[in-house]
Amino acid sequence: MSASDAPSERAASPRRSWGPLALALPALVLLVAVIGYPLATIVIRSFTEPQAGLQNYSWFFSTPVNLVVLQRTFTISAWVTLVCVFCAYPFAYAMTAVGPKLRMLLTLCVLIPFWVSGVVRTLSWVILLQDSGVINSMLRSVGLDGVRLIRTQTGVIIGMAQVLLPFMVLPLYSVMKGIDLRLVQAARSLGAGPIRAFFTVYLPLSLPGVYAGAIIVFILALGFYITPALLGGPRSTMLSTLVQNQVLSLLQWGRGGAMGVVLLVATFLLLALAGPLMRQRHKQGTR
Amino acid sequence: MTMHPLTRVLLGLACILVGLWLVAPTLVVVPMSFNENKSLAFPPQGFSWQWYQNFVTNPEWSTSFFNSLKVAVVVAILATVLGTLAAFGLDRMRARPAGLLRMLLLTPMVVPGVVLAIGIYAVYLDARLVGTMTGFVLAHTILALPFVLIAVQASLEVFDKRLETAAASLGAGRIATFRTVTLPLIAPGILSGLLFAFVTSFDEIIVSLFITSPYMKTLPVQIFTSITRDADPTVAAVGTILLCATTILIGGGLLLLGRDRRSSL
């Protein structure tokens, strides 16, 4: 739509081209001042503090602890993404299959967590997972004693996946909603069993939703700070906590900045890689 | 489409489990908030309102609550105005620069929170903005702006521009057209942007943790420090209050929406 609008507008009033920019200008100024300038400061400090050079980066990549945490951050994010995909898939499918009343209820289930304060949701996981918590007292009553959930990687994954699940369900649902179920019926009528019809017809058609959701979840998980800080322990530290530690406790702005830049680069690399996948989805949508 | 009964049962079961997983854990704060002992251990003992009293009377809690409220109200207004203006600007631009600027304005959503937080903290230390109302408002506004932009852009996309042309051809000036035609039609988008901006600011924790000071704390910061410091059930009381407030807000919104739809039929 915008492509066909653009030429006529340009031809009609060339002088109007500065007006729209002026409308967006206040937001852009704020963006530069509160996002652009601070990020630039961090990048510059990572190269200049305490001395100019690459020593902060060589320190980061030569210290075993950092590499362990970096790897763990990616592992935890991958697990969280995997858990989200497997939980969200049947849920999103059910949202497309049920009647309007039930769909409303399922949508509410997804949206309520969106609205409840993130800190409060993490707090409830602290209450549930702690050693004297709900889950442990239930496990104890069936004879499983001394299962540690809080301050473990499992606890962090459970909590993070719950917080991020809506970001997986919503894109999946919006793609599944558009799948023509007659295609599945056609496959069935041509002799494919239900399992084969699912894997050869429905699953490939829903993959764009899986990709979109997985990328959002993975990127958000990489930068998670609150949930790992409250649910995790020393053996489940993620990169964000290390950054915070370097800056607030050790006042090492250069080292903290370098870690931050690594995290930032990883995020934007993933987004860039995701670009082609998203474009593919667009093409499929218009076809 | 007909489904195998076994598939149906399995799907229903999966749905119930996932739905429970999404909603139930948060509810655990409700019983904990009436605990008689100063502990977050489960199950709670006895019944008392003391933690709610503590929330109201303890200045640490009530001040942080009002700080959050003040910041969130200012942020909601500021972000909505800036975001709506930007959405209009982008809508009237050529596709390519509009797409680029939109991507730039959405970056606050994807930049890892801690990286942003240390950057803002560094700049605020130099500008003496740490622990100030202005500091909180500026940071939260830029974080809330993407939500306003998305909401308003979505409603501008379905808005039929020929209506503006029609109003203009009937003699309405640009301001009159905007006030009587454009604004009422995209009001739902602006309103949901406003709500999202408010919630984003009221909930924001990562940047707040860095730019906070003993004299200026927001509610999430207070909750976070309380969880890390001791097992004070006041956090559960605050959580319950927030839970009720959101439920009422969403419930009210849905009811209003339902009534609107019915009256328009």
Side-chain angles (χ1 to χ4, degrees), chain A residues 1-3 5-7 9-10 15-17 19-24 26-28 30-35 37-39 41-42 45 83-84 86-91 93-95 97 104 106 108-128 130 132-134 137 157-159 161-162 165-166 169 181 184-185 188 219-220 222-226 229-230 239-241 243-244 247-248 253 256-257 259-261 263-264 267-268 271, chain B residues 1-4 10-12 14-16 18-29 32 40-43 78 82-95 101 104-126 135 137-143 145 156-157 159 161 174 192 195-196 199 202-206 209-210 220-221 223-224 227-228 231 235-240 242-243 246-247 249-250 254:
Chain A
M1 189 192 89
S2 52
D5 278 3
E9 216 162 86
R10 210 184 328 166
R15 73 176 169 80
R16 260 175 60 187
S17 60
L21 194 64
L23 285 176
L28 289 170
L30 192 68
L31 182 82
V32 170
V34 190
I35 305 282
Y37 179 50
L39 287 184
T41 310
I42 288 308
R45 284 195 184 180
V83 171
C84 280
F86 278 101
C87 292
Y89 202 90
F91 195 83
Y93 177 73
M95 278 171 76
M104 184 81 166
L106 292 181
L108 265 182
C109 283
V110 180
L111 289 183
I112 286 174
F114 247 149
W115 283 88
V116 176
S117 155
V119 196
V120 173
R121 293 172 69 195
T122 305
L123 162 71
S124 24
W125 280 110
V126 173
I127 296 173
L128 286 169
Q130 63 188 326
S132 55
V134 182
S137 48
I157 292 171
I158 294 175
Q162 192 240 7
L165 194 59
V169 174
L181 283 179
V184 183
Q185 280 170 344
R188 294 295 306 278
I219 284 175
L220 290 176
L222 277 185
F224 248 51
Y225 173 63
I226 298 301
L230 289 179
L239 208 51
S240 291
T241 315
V243 174
Q244 181 258 357
V247 170
L248 284 191
W253 283 92
M259 287 176 167
V261 171
L263 195 56
L264 203 62
T267 306
F268 281 111
L271 272 179
Chain B
M1 200 178 64
T2 51
M3 227 187 278
H4 195 277
L10 283 177
L11 191 65
C15 256
I16 292 170
V18 173
L20 274 177
W21 188 41
L22 278 168
V23 178
T26 313
L27 297 178
V28 81
V29 293
M32 300 311 289
L40 285 172
F42 194 86
L78 207 61
L82 293 183
T84 309
L85 283 178
F88 268 96
L90 296 191
D91 191 53
R92 279 155 176 69
M93 266 180 217
R94 271 178 271 153
L101 289 185
L104 274 178
L105 286 170
L106 294 186
T107 40
M109 292 178 90
V110 290
V111 175
V114 167
V115 182
L116 205 57
I118 58 169
I120 292 177
Y121 181 52
V123 172
Y124 276 17
L125 279 176
D126 291 339
V137 167
L138 286 178
H140 287 186
T141 302
I142 202 67
L143 290 173
L145 206 107
L156 275 176
E157 220 158 83
F159 170 73
K161 286 209 184 55
R174 280 174 89 165
S192 73
L195 222 58
F196 263 111
V199 172
F202 199 82
D203 263 7
E204 207 291 323
I205 165 98
I206 303 184
L209 272 178
F210 281 77
V221 173
I223 295 176
F224 184 87
I227 298 174
T228 50
V235 285
V238 178
T240 310
L242 291 181
L243 206 62
T246 15
T247 313
L249 260 176
I250 301 182
L254 284 179

Side-chain angles (χ1 to χ4, degrees), chain B residues 21-236:
Chain B
W21 188 41
L22 278 168
V23 178
T26 313
L27 297 178
V28 81
V29 293
V30 179
M32 300 311 289
S33 69
F34 295 108
N35 202 345
E36 217 161 40
N37 302 342
K38 190 180 165 71
S39 121
L40 285 172
F42 194 86
Q45 309 289 324
F47 181 91
S48 89
W49 286 97
Q50 54 175 318
W51 310 111
Y52 290 88
Q53 275 167 6
N54 188 38
F55 172 63
V56 181
T57 54
N58 186 337
E60 233 186 340
W61 285 101
S62 47
T63 325
S64 64
F65 173 76
F66 283 113
N67 282 340
S68 275
L69 207 60
K70 267 186 271 181
V71 172
V73 167
V74 180
V75 166
I77 296 168
L78 207 61
T80 307
V81 172
L82 293 183
T84 309
L85 283 178
F88 268 96
L90 296 191
D91 191 53
R92 279 155 176 69
M93 266 180 217
R94 271 178 271 153
R96 206 167 276 250
L100 189 75
L101 289 185
R102 179 186 148 90
M103 224 168 70
L104 274 178
L105 286 170
L106 294 186
T107 40
M109 292 178 90
V110 290
V111 175
V114 167
V115 182
L116 205 57
I118 58 169
I120 292 177
Y121 181 52
V123 172
Y124 276 17
L125 279 176
D126 291 339
R128 297 180 173 279
L129 281 171
V130 170
T132 62
M133 178 88 175
T134 322
F136 274 97
V137 167
L138 286 178
H140 287 186
T141 302
I142 202 67
L143 290 173
L145 206 107
F147 296 100
V148 179
L149 190 70
I150 290 173
V152 178
Q153 274 195 325
S155 58
L156 275 176
E157 220 158 83
V158 292
F159 170 73
D160 189 346
K161 286 209 184 55
R162 285 173 304 180
L163 292 173
E164 281 181 341
T165 322
S169 77
L170 292 170
R174 280 174 89 165
I175 293 168
T177 308
F178 179 76
R179 205 171 46 80
T180 55
V181 178
T182 317
L183 198 58
L185 280 170
I186 61 161
I190 295 179
L191 211 67
S192 73
L194 187 90
L195 222 58
F196 263 111
F198 181 88
V199 172
T200 307
S201 165
F202 199 82
D203 263 7
E204 207 291 323
I205 165 98
I206 303 184
V207 175
S208 303
L209 272 178
F210 281 77
I211 62 172
T212 190
S213 78
Y215 310 103
M216 172 83 193
K217 274 186 189 174
T218 55
L219 192 59
V221 173
Q222 175 64 26
I223 295 176
F224 184 87
T225 40
S226 171
I227 298 174
T228 50
R229 198 179 47 203
D230 53 16
D232 180 357
T234 311
V235 285

Side-chain angles (χ1 to χ4, degrees), chain A residues 33 44 54 57 61 76 85 87 90 92-93 99 128 132 161 174 199 221 238 260:
Chain A
I44 291 169
L54 288 168
Y57 292 91
F61 287 109
I76 290 182
V85 170
C87 292
Y93 177 73
L128 286 169
S132 55
S174 76
F199 278 106
M238 287 175 74

